[in-house]
Amino acid sequence: MTGEARRIAGRIAVRASAAHDLPAIAAIYRHHVLNGAATFEIVPPDDAEMGRRREETLARALPHLVAELDGAIAGYAYAAPYRPRAAYRYTVEDSVYVAPQLSRRGVGRALLEALIDACTALHHRQMVAVIGDRANAASIGLHAACGFTRVGTLPNVGFKFGRWIDSVLMQRVLGGGATTPPRGKRRDVRLAPRATGCHR
């Protein structure tokens, strides 16, 4: 953490997002869509679509957070199901976006640490980060600082800004990880294997 990040860390407040945060959230995401490879979206969604996505996150009982700095929204983060198949239900994927003028000032770390705590409290066991661009040192470094391990790279899976872009996969254990069975009495769903095709 830089000296400036340490100075402002005490002024960063992370809380659950609210509907009135959506214009600021949409503006932050718009910047990343138009100027970076962290997201593979090309056309920025409007406020209404960002609101729909937030409601979808909340309907799944997953956290959707914002960071405030001196009364302004400095960034946001949320968790989503890693994949839709039932056996993945204890694994989540994180997303963290910071206002461009506040990059590397501790906002991302405050958001990611809060997201990890919230998902752990919800009894999820693994968190996966799918990071656009192997050159995205800020995001890779943030996740490493928060306990994520780099587990792989998907080369050239995206095309944006006239170039092919990799996805970097990082993963972190939540709570007891794989050392104990998941909490509750939900039975595993056992399906007959398909005769053909590859399904994950």
Side-chain angles (χ1 to χ4, degrees):
M1 184 179 289
T2 66
E4 185 176 1
R6 283 191 290 271
R7 286 194 295 274
I8 71 171
R11 291 155 44 204
I12 299 170
V14 178
R15 60 168 174 80
S17 69
H20 64 258
D21 300 319
L22 286 169
I25 288 171
I28 290 169
Y29 189 58
R30 177 182 178 83
H31 169 85
H32 287 281
V33 170
L34 295 178
N35 298 282
T39 172
F40 280 16
E41 283 199 86
I42 295 173
V43 178
D46 61 16
D47 293 9
E49 172 59 16
M50 294 299 285
R52 187 198 67 75
R53 295 181 188 185
R54 174 179 172 270
E55 289 299 325
E56 185 177 77
T57 299
L58 298 177
R60 290 177 167 141
L62 290 170
H64 194 286
L65 310 174
V66 293
E68 285 187 319
L69 177 63
D70 299 335
I73 300 301
Y76 74 100
Y78 63 92
Y82 173 57
R83 287 190 176 180
R85 305 295 192 197
Y88 288 108
R89 64 192 180 277
Y90 296 104
T91 299
V92 292
E93 180 180 335
D94 76 277
S95 293
V96 180
Y97 293 97
V98 176
Q101 71 275 18
L102 294 171
S103 177
R104 297 180 183 271
R105 287 169 174 79
V107 175
R109 183 161 187 163
L111 282 164
L112 185 52
E113 288 177 345
L115 195 69
I116 289 167
D117 289 346
C119 290
T120 301
L122 291 168
H123 308 293
H124 296 288
R125 295 302 186 89
Q126 303 287 334
M127 183 175 282
V128 175
V130 182
I131 299 170
D133 198 351
R134 71 168 69 204
N136 191 346
S139 186
I140 292 169
L142 166 64
H143 283 84
C146 290
F148 286 73
T149 300
R150 188 165 176 164
V151 294
T153 301
L154 302 175
N156 307 317
V157 292
F159 188 81
K160 190 175 182 181
F161 305 134
R163 66 184 179 94
W164 292 103
I165 303 171
D166 303 336
S167 281
V168 175
L169 304 179
M170 301 185 75
Q171 184 173 349
R172 186 194 194 282
V173 171
L174 302 179
T179 61
T180 59
R183 187 181 182 208
K185 299 180 179 180
R186 293 173 64 182
R187 295 185 300 170
D188 288 340
V189 177
R190 300 186 182 275
L191 302 176
R194 290 176 179 264
T196 61
C198 298
H199 300 273
R200 295 183 180 179

